[in-house]
Amino acid sequence: MILVTGGTGLVGAHVLLHLIENGENVRAIYRTTRSIEKTKNLFHLYKKSNLFDTIEWIQSDITDIPTLEIAFVGIDYVYHCAALISFDPKDENLIRKTNIEGTANIVNFCIANTIKKLCFVSSIAALGDLAAHENLITEETEWNPEKPHSDYAISKYGAEMEIWRGQQEGLQVIIVNPGVIIGPGFWEQGSGQLFTKVKKGLSFYTLGSSGFVAVTDVVRIAAQLMKSEIHNERFTLIAKNIVFREVLNSIADSLLVKRPNIHINPFFINVFCRIDWVLSNIFMQKRKLPSSTAEASYSTNKYSNEKITAILKTDFLEIHQYIREISTLYN
C-alpha cells in the first residue's frame, strides 16, 4: 500500500488520482474533514468521482507522531507532498515546524517501518544560488547560506537535509524539485490564485521569470521515478522558464478577460512592500507582499531540466497550451 501525505493539496490530490487510475491501493492523511472536500471536488472536476471512494483516509498530521504511527501500518511506499506554503515572516516558526520537523517525522517512520522508497516533493526554492560565473540553476548548484532566502525556501532546504539523513540510514529516496506548479481545482491557493486574480481583473504585471510545470507532469514523473530503479537522486522539474507577464497573458486570454496592462518595476514593488510591512504591523494582519515575494516577482533566475529529460527521455507539456486546457475547468 502507498501512503500519500498532503493529499488535500494540489500535488497530493493529483498523486492520489494518478495512483488510483493505475490500480494502486492508497492511503491518505488529512487534518480536517473540510479539507478532504478539496480532493473530492478535484476528482469530480476530472469526472472521476467514482474513484474517490477507493482512498483510505486517516486523520493525522505530519507533526502528530501518535497518529502517524497508525497511518504507517502496512505501508510500502510513501509520497511526501505535505507542506506549509507561506511567505509571511510571521509564519516562520510554523513553516519550519511543519516542513522540517514534519519531514523528519516522515523519514523516521519510513526507516522504522522499512519503507521501500520515499518520494519527497520539494521545490526549486530549495535549489542552490548562482555564483558569479553561473547562469543556470541545476541540481548541483550550491546553496549559499550567506545569501537571503525566504523562510519557505529555508524550510524546504532543511526538509531535504532530513531526506538525505534518511538516505544515509539506508532509506531509498527520490527528491523532485518542481518549479511553479500550474494545475486546476485549487483556485484559492498557490498558483491557482493567478487564475482567480486575473479573472477578477488583475491590472499589474512584472517582467521577472521562473520555471513553470504542469501538475500532471510532476505527478507522472514522480510516479515513474518511484517505479524505476533510480534512487537517492534529486531532479528539477520544469517545462520551461517563462516571464510572468507571458503566463498572466495566457491565463487572461484563456479566461477571455483583459490582460494585465500596467508594468510594476522593482522600485515600485519594493515601495509597496515597505508600505505593506508598515500596515501589517499597525493592523496586526498578514503580509500581502512579503519581501521574498517581491524579490521573486522580478527575479530572472533560470532553471535546467536537463537531468530529468536525459535520464527518463521525457517531454513536458507546453505550459501555454496546458493553461488553455485547464482554463476550461475554471469555475
Side-chain angles (χ1 to χ4, degrees):
M1 178 172 272
I2 300 172
L3 176 65
V4 178
T5 73
T8 57
L10 175 65
V11 176
H14 279 85
V15 167
L16 290 171
L17 180 58
H18 179 88
L19 294 175
I20 293 169
E21 285 183 317
N22 286 274
E24 302 286 0
N25 294 318
V26 297
R27 178 183 298 156
I29 64 175
Y30 71 98
R31 290 195 299 166
T32 66
T33 304
R34 183 180 179 183
S35 65
I36 296 180
E37 290 300 313
K38 297 178 183 178
T39 305
K40 188 174 184 179
N41 291 338
L42 182 77
F43 275 60
H44 178 72
L45 197 65
Y46 282 112
K47 297 179 170 57
K48 301 286 185 179
S49 296
N50 60 309
L51 299 179
F52 178 79
D53 291 334
T54 66
I55 303 170
E56 179 186 336
W57 291 96
I58 289 186
Q59 190 165 18
S60 180
D61 186 290
I62 60 174
T63 61
D64 185 347
I65 291 176
T67 58
L68 279 179
E69 190 169 357
I70 298 170
F72 267 85
V73 173
I75 295 298
D76 299 304
Y77 298 90
V78 176
Y79 287 81
H80 179 30
C81 310
L84 176 61
I85 302 175
S86 173
F87 297 94
D88 190 331
K90 294 177 182 177
D91 291 333
E92 178 184 359
N93 291 336
L94 184 58
I95 290 172
R96 296 196 183 203
K97 179 176 179 63
T98 302
N99 296 352
I100 300 177
E101 182 182 318
T103 299
N105 291 337
I106 295 298
V107 168
N108 291 340
F109 274 102
C110 284
I111 295 170
N113 289 274
T114 321
I115 297 301
K116 295 176 182 178
K117 203 170 187 180
L118 165 65
C119 175
F120 174 52
V121 180
S122 185
S123 167
I124 56 171
L127 295 175
D129 303 286
L130 290 173
H133 63 284
E134 298 174 321
N135 55 22
L136 199 61
I137 296 176
T138 73
E139 294 83 355
E140 305 305 319
T141 304
E142 291 188 14
W143 174 278
N144 185 346
E146 296 184 0
K147 288 195 173 184
H149 301 93
S150 68
D151 292 323
Y152 174 71
I154 292 170
S155 75
K156 294 301 271 188
Y157 178 77
E160 287 194 14
M161 294 303 100
E162 293 296 336
I163 299 294
W164 295 128
R165 172 180 64 80
Q167 178 257 319
Q168 292 173 350
E169 296 184 35
L171 179 63
Q172 289 196 0
V173 302
I174 285 291
I175 296 177
V176 292
N177 296 80
V180 179
I181 303 173
I182 300 294
F186 291 76
W187 308 116
E188 301 301 326
Q189 61 193 70
S191 64
Q193 294 180 83
L194 295 177
F195 289 79
T196 300
K197 289 179 179 179
V198 170
K199 181 68 173 179
K200 290 180 177 179
L202 180 68
S203 299
F204 306 103
Y205 68 84
T206 70
L207 295 177
S209 63
S210 189
F212 288 79
V213 63
V215 66
T216 48
D217 277 339
V218 174
V219 170
R220 173 182 58 82
I221 291 171
Q224 195 171 346
L225 289 168
M226 286 288 275
K227 287 281 189 181
S228 74
E229 295 299 317
I230 300 168
H231 59 275
N232 303 345
E233 296 279 356
R234 76 199 291 226
F235 297 93
T236 303
L237 304 186
I238 68 152
K240 189 178 181 181
N241 295 288
I242 312 176
V243 176
F244 291 125
R245 182 187 188 184
E246 296 177 11
V247 172
L248 295 175
N249 285 346
S250 283
I251 293 173
D253 292 347
S254 299
L255 295 177
L256 303 178
V257 297
K258 185 179 179 181
R259 291 180 170 185
N261 59 359
I262 301 174
H263 175 223
I264 301 296
N265 63 35
F267 172 78
F268 285 108
I269 290 174
N270 285 318
V271 169
F272 292 150
C273 180
R274 290 172 184 174
I275 293 173
D276 177 56
W277 179 85
V278 172
L279 293 176
S280 70
N281 282 280
I282 292 174
F283 296 106
M284 301 300 292
Q285 61 188 19
K286 281 186 173 294
R287 295 283 299 277
K288 292 182 174 62
L289 185 63
S291 57
S292 57
T293 303
E295 286 182 27
S297 70
Y298 54 78
S299 168
T300 55
N301 284 339
K302 289 183 170 55
Y303 302 86
S304 170
N305 65 7
E306 183 177 344
K307 181 178 179 180
I308 190 66
T309 53
I311 289 180
L312 290 188
K313 312 298 181 188
T314 190
D315 293 320
F316 287 86
L317 293 173
E318 202 282 321
I319 292 299
H320 297 292
Q321 175 61 32
Y322 185 63
I323 287 174
R324 288 191 286 273
E325 291 175 5
I326 66 174
S327 291
T328 63
L329 302 174
Y330 182 86
N331 51 40

